[in-house]
Amino acid sequence: MALLPILEFPDPRLRTRAEPVTVFDAVLAKLVDDMFETMYAAPGIGLAASQVNVHRRLLVMDVTEDHSEPLVFINPEILAREEVGVMQEGCLSVPGFFDDVERAQRIKVRAQDRHGITFERELSGLAAVCLQHEMDHLEGKLFVDYLSVLKRDRIRRKLEKTQRDRSDRAGADKVAAGVGAR
């Protein structure tokens, strides 16, 4: 297994709409395993393939504290939504930021598992919110899209600065390593 790089807002690739998964093979199984490893290491409770620059309709999640209920949803579709509520959300692609988002608190979903077998499942609370959040990624939508333009722009500017600083430090480290090697 391998850790995958997670795209960060405002990377335009996060806005790509994912295509359906049609081939259920060893390559897909490895991607699922790598996504779980990446999600747990981040640490997070959900990860859509779009976040790791694979634009297929696939997401993984596990909302348990002990990582005891890993779930895979391929080509998911929500069949029913009930009980709208507000919950604070964060995102591995928007690191360090959290805000309230309104979503259905109970959903029924149909999807395929890693072998292509179709199933239906009812989710509530955090699991329902997590699935909706990850499904948004498959549509090229982020939780910051639910926020005001002012909040979204502030988050974008802060993350762009963080990314520039990280890039500058990486460049300085390479120069220092090159200088020390002579």
Side-chain angles (χ1 to χ4, degrees):
M1 291 196 298
L3 290 178
L4 304 169
I6 298 172
L7 301 177
E8 291 183 6
F9 177 69
D11 192 312
R13 294 172 291 180
L14 287 166
R15 300 304 187 172
T16 304
R17 191 160 192 262
E19 297 292 325
V21 172
T22 57
V23 177
F24 295 80
D25 59 5
V27 173
L28 179 69
K30 181 176 181 345
L31 175 61
V32 167
D33 292 341
D34 289 348
M35 286 177 61
F36 273 117
E37 182 176 2
T38 302
M39 178 188 75
Y40 289 135
I45 61 170
L47 185 66
S50 300
Q51 292 177 271
V52 294
N53 203 29
V54 176
H55 302 285
R56 295 286 176 253
R57 297 190 70 76
L58 158 66
L59 64 92
V60 299
M61 58 184 264
D62 186 342
V63 298
T64 63
E65 298 259 338
D66 61 355
H67 303 163
S68 62
E69 196 175 343
L71 301 171
V72 177
F73 296 88
I74 300 173
N75 301 321
E77 56 183 306
I78 294 177
L79 304 175
R81 301 172 196 259
E82 297 177 6
E83 301 175 29
V84 173
V86 174
M87 189 176 284
Q88 190 165 89
E89 294 186 24
C91 182
L92 296 177
S93 292
V94 189
F97 293 91
F98 302 86
D99 214 313
D100 291 339
V101 177
E102 186 176 280
R103 296 193 191 268
Q105 299 300 298
R106 293 176 32 88
I107 61 172
K108 183 174 184 178
V109 62
R110 178 185 303 135
Q112 293 169 282
D113 67 13
R114 66 170 64 215
H115 306 291
I117 297 169
T118 300
F119 66 92
E120 290 183 7
R121 185 170 184 141
E122 292 185 11
L123 300 170
S124 62
L126 182 58
V129 168
C130 183
L131 185 99
Q132 292 168 88
H133 175 108
E134 299 309 330
M135 284 183 68
D136 275 354
H137 281 295
L138 303 180
E139 298 300 325
K141 188 172 184 175
L142 301 169
F143 94 94
V144 295
D145 297 339
Y146 292 93
L147 308 179
S148 70
V149 172
L150 181 66
K151 279 186 179 181
R152 187 171 48 250
D153 286 347
R154 187 171 3 122
I155 291 169
R156 180 186 46 76
R157 284 191 304 274
K158 285 181 180 179
L159 285 174
E160 285 173 339
K161 182 182 182 321
T162 299
Q163 292 161 7
R164 276 193 310 273
D165 292 349
R166 190 181 319 141
S167 178
D168 291 348
R169 279 194 306 275
D173 290 347
K174 285 181 183 178
V175 169
V179 170
R182 290 185 179 172

